[in-house]
Amino acid sequence: MIFGSDHFFPPYEYLNKNGQPEGFNIDIIHELANEMNVEIIVKLGDWVQIRKELEVDGTIDFSDMFYSERRDSIVDYAYPHDIIFNKVYLHKASTPILEISTLNHKKVAVLQGSVLEEYLQAKFPEINLIPQGTESEAIHLVSEKLCDAAIVTNVSGKELLKESKVNNVIGYGNMILPSEYCFVVKEGNTQLLKKIDLAMANLNANGTIEKLREKWFEERIFGISQNYIKLGIIILLLSLLISYLLNFVLNLRIRKRNEQLHLSEERWKFALEGSGDGVWDWNIETNKVFFSPQWKKMLGYEAHEIENTFEEWGKRIHPDDQEKAFADLNKHLAGETHYYSSEHRALCKNGKYKWILDRGKVISKTPEGKPLRVIGTHTDISEQIKTQGALKESRDQLKIIIENTPLAIWDWNIKTDNWFATPKYYTMLGYEPENTLPDREVWLNRVHPDDRETVASKITNIINHKDLEYSYDARMLHADGTYRWQSVIGHVIEFDNEGIAERMLGVRIDISERKKAENELYESNEKLQAFLNNSIDAILLTTPDGKIYSANPAACQMLERTEKEICILTRDELVDTSDPRLLKLIDERTKTGKANGEITMFRKDKKHFQAEISTALFKNRDGFTYSSLIIRDISERIKSQEIIRLNEERFRLISSVISDYMFESRISEKGNLELVWTFGAFESITGYTPDEFIAIGGFRATIHPEDITIDEKDLEKLQRNQNVVTELRTFMAKF
């Protein structure tokens, strides 16, 4: 914990000849450290800078300053531990002043950043204030006649005149502008403020503050008197008058101490009750305990409903917490701990339990060293425990999310170049988690050589404050020697007082599978595009609402239009909707998801042609239905079919008028001739139809037995590609 204050404000705080902090407040800080059982580092410096570190930077935990309403909105004040007056200091050659308004239009030196400066600016705007770094500098300006007056704290002013040996400056008039001197914390730090108030209350109650006040103030005052007393003893031989004076002073000091002790006790009780905490005061010898009204009210009781006995406290502790609570108390009573502290549940009047922070300290002991009196506080921490529980639950949930999410989270302090990353940052690449990220060069060497320059430039732009965010995809070296695709996104989330990027938060995710899928998709698209571009058939793709969104080159050639022109065609402009085959095809595709058939389509300028189409429905990964349409121009095929039909008709007419017949046969695997086709008067000559002829066994079955040898010889000639002319006798069917 760090305490910061002015480096030259004697006798409260200053640097001694050895450069070490000294003063009334410094001694209090040492006692506070012991009381709070913490280490407190003292930092003294320029007051304006110290205030900035407390109020803005947060690098100082607490300080001390005079109370003002304006500052109360910036810092939180502890209860005052002193009241300090100010005094006007003038050059001895100057005219005395009767009131502050006499200083209007004059140069007046004050401590820069002090409550006094703020007060004078608000109440006496016509005074020409000359702010100085220290009150000593303000006094010296008056000594050198560079300023008309200086207004500084009275105690500090006297100390400065004595230490600096300035003999031409004196204080005029009565002390003015009393100010409460308090310890302060940054606005909202109520936990630390409570600890300071409690510790100061204990130090007031056990007389420590009073002893320090005597050391730094009364000894200085009475030290002078004691020197005169010693001188009087030597000169007046312990005269009765000196004895009387000493007795008078002693009685005065005793009375003053009693008053201050009473005031201190009232202060700490008021401080603790005012903070909402309950107070208890346990006399171990009588076993009686004083429970403050707030202590009882905290548990829902009226002041008369709880007796002042130790048992009233013990019986209200939750059974599960009693053992530890008593153990903590006994450890402190045995001197094993600096103070008693216990968090436990206490039973309320309504039967419910509240979480209580119970703290206390032995403040007096018997001559034998046994504890005699313990005082402490009760603080309701139910909401804090509830908040801690909710926070723990949130942390547990966050831990589960972090451990189970595929994302790796990293946090980069740009100024210090310190890194933090979740374990996933390392394990996703097969490495063991580390407390800090590896050296930047080591890490950059894990980036694929083709991606390294891009990644390095992204980081450099952040360091040089050119960018506030970055994102990139890069290949990173896995522990197994392979490269994995990683996607990284980072944003600056904090800036310093000058608006310079200070902290960056980001995520890293393994996208190897995504990249693989993208490559496969790319290859698939390339194959599809190659198929579309090289297909001799026209191919159209349509959206769910029936609009054409793609047409391959063959479609453009077939339809005599560009792809752009095809994509704006309506069904009426592409297909002859009067063709009755259209509705049948649409109905079949609706029922089965696909259809095939022939239909009349239009080229440019409504030139129609016959097409054979194959269409099918398909869904994309979002579930939307699309369709494909493959078109083949069958105009030439239809023409050929028509020519064949006409030729067949001609052959049929010729066959009906000639008396001979022609035939084609092939040699089977068994060496026989098999009839393939006939032309002419085959049926009238043989008496068989071609099918009947084949069924009875063909040519060999109808040849006269005496001519079979001739047929066999003819067959051999045919197999040698020789022409054959022969005469054979064959049997005819019986009609």
Side-chain angles (χ1 to χ4, degrees), residues 198 277-282 289-291 295 298-299 310 312-314 316-317 321-322 324-326 328-329 332 339-346 354-361 374-381:
L198 176 60
D277 294 342
V279 178
W280 52 268
D281 188 339
W282 178 28
V289 185
F290 163 75
F291 298 111
W295 191 100
M298 190 181 296
L299 300 180
F310 182 78
E312 291 281 3
W313 170 76
R316 285 180 170 78
I317 300 177
D321 302 335
Q322 283 185 358
K324 187 176 185 308
F326 279 102
D328 290 338
L329 179 60
H332 178 61
Y339 57 87
Y340 158 69
S341 179
S342 171
E343 290 185 6
H344 56 255
R345 288 160 288 182
K354 275 187 178 180
W355 276 98
I356 299 294
L357 171 60
D358 195 9
R359 302 181 78 237
K361 183 176 177 61
V374 187
I375 63 171
T377 61
H378 253 208
T379 305
D380 184 351
I381 58 170

Side-chain angles (χ1 to χ4, degrees), residues 102-159:
T102 309
L103 298 173
N104 284 344
H105 309 295
K106 294 189 177 185
K107 296 180 180 179
V108 178
V110 295
L111 177 64
Q112 184 180 17
S114 63
V115 171
L116 174 65
E117 181 187 17
E118 296 171 1
Y119 174 81
L120 294 175
Q121 287 173 341
K123 300 296 183 181
F124 299 94
E126 296 183 2
I127 295 178
N128 184 12
L129 297 179
I130 311 296
Q132 297 297 303
T134 65
E135 291 191 332
S136 175
E137 293 174 1
I139 293 290
H140 278 86
L141 283 182
V142 176
S143 175
E144 296 168 8
K145 293 188 176 181
L146 298 176
C147 162
D148 298 301
I151 303 180
V152 297
T153 55
N154 183 46
V155 176
S156 181
K158 288 181 179 180
E159 192 78 14

Side-chain angles (χ1 to χ4, degrees), residues 476-726:
M476 297 289 294
L477 182 64
H478 194 276
D480 63 8
T482 62
Y483 281 96
R484 307 291 175 87
W485 276 100
Q486 307 276 290
S487 182
V488 179
I489 301 173
H491 294 270
V492 172
I493 60 171
E494 287 185 7
F495 301 84
D496 62 15
N497 295 330
E498 298 177 358
I500 302 299
E502 193 170 52
R503 183 181 174 201
M504 195 173 195
L505 194 66
V507 296
R508 175 186 293 276
I509 187 171
D510 191 308
I511 59 169
S512 301
E513 291 301 319
R514 191 187 81 188
K515 282 290 184 179
K516 181 180 177 182
E518 288 176 354
N519 290 336
E520 291 175 352
L521 179 61
Y522 175 79
E523 292 176 2
S524 176
N525 287 337
E526 286 294 301
K527 291 177 181 177
L528 175 62
Q529 198 62 44
F531 169 73
L532 293 175
N533 291 339
N534 294 285
S535 173
I536 62 174
D537 293 326
I539 301 175
L540 304 179
L541 299 178
T542 67
T543 60
D545 57 3
K547 293 182 179 178
I548 300 170
Y549 71 87
S550 178
N552 71 338
C556 297
Q557 183 178 1
M558 182 182 295
L559 300 177
E560 299 177 346
R561 290 180 170 90
T562 64
E563 184 178 19
K564 186 176 180 181
E565 291 173 333
I566 293 173
C567 289
I568 61 174
L569 291 176
T570 63
R571 179 175 290 173
D572 292 344
E573 294 172 309
L574 184 63
V575 181
D576 184 356
T577 55
S578 64
D579 189 331
R581 297 173 293 179
L582 175 63
L583 292 178
K584 292 181 180 180
L585 286 170
I586 294 175
D587 184 58
E588 182 182 351
R589 191 180 70 173
T590 302
K591 292 178 179 178
T592 65
K594 59 184 179 179
N596 299 288
E598 297 178 0
I599 196 169
T600 304
M601 300 189 69
F602 295 123
R603 305 186 203 276
K604 197 171 184 179
D605 300 328
K606 284 288 184 177
K607 293 182 291 185
H608 69 274
F609 67 97
Q610 292 299 309
E612 181 181 61
I613 66 169
S614 177
T615 180
L617 301 177
F618 65 92
K619 291 186 178 181
N620 67 357
R621 60 185 178 184
D622 296 323
F624 294 109
T625 301
Y626 290 77
S627 69
S628 63
L629 184 65
I630 301 175
I631 308 169
R632 179 170 294 174
D633 187 343
I634 59 173
S635 301
E636 293 300 322
R637 189 179 76 186
I638 291 176
K639 288 180 181 178
S640 298
Q641 289 173 346
E642 181 62 19
I643 292 172
I644 292 172
R645 187 188 66 78
L646 292 174
N647 288 336
E648 288 178 347
E649 183 65 24
R650 292 189 185 104
F651 279 128
R652 190 166 50 254
L653 290 174
I654 294 172
S655 297
S656 64
V657 296
I658 63 175
S659 59
D660 296 328
Y661 72 87
M662 297 174 62
F663 67 92
E664 179 182 346
S665 63
R666 63 171 175 264
I667 302 174
S668 69
E669 293 179 355
K670 296 180 179 180
N672 299 321
L673 291 176
E674 293 181 351
L675 185 66
V676 176
W677 61 267
T678 65
F679 176 71
F682 179 83
E683 291 184 24
S684 61
I685 294 174
T686 64
Y688 296 99
T689 66
D691 290 338
E692 291 172 339
F693 189 78
I694 293 171
I696 65 170
F699 291 104
R700 185 61 59 89
T702 62
I703 296 175
H704 191 281
E706 295 177 357
D707 296 337
I708 290 176
T709 303
I710 298 172
D711 181 64
E712 290 175 347
K713 291 179 179 179
D714 290 341
L715 182 60
E716 290 176 358
K717 291 179 181 180
L718 289 173
Q719 289 176 334
R720 292 195 296 268
N721 292 324
Q722 295 177 1
N723 294 328
V724 175
V725 177
T726 188

Side-chain angles (χ1 to χ4, degrees), residues 425-479:
Y425 190 95
Y426 307 93
T427 57
M428 70 166 53
L429 288 173
Y431 300 103
E432 289 296 323
E434 303 173 19
N435 292 329
T436 58
L437 288 184
D439 179 84
R440 191 182 306 285
E441 291 303 318
V442 174
W443 178 77
L444 278 174
N445 285 335
R446 292 179 183 170
V447 181
H448 192 282
D450 294 345
D451 304 331
R452 196 171 297 155
E453 184 178 350
T454 299
V455 173
S457 66
K458 296 275 187 181
I459 297 172
T460 301
N461 287 344
I462 294 295
I463 294 175
N464 294 336
H465 314 302
K466 291 182 179 180
D467 293 329
L468 298 179
E469 60 182 42
Y470 67 55
S471 63
Y472 62 82
D473 293 347
R475 288 157 288 184
M476 297 289 294
L477 182 64
H478 194 276

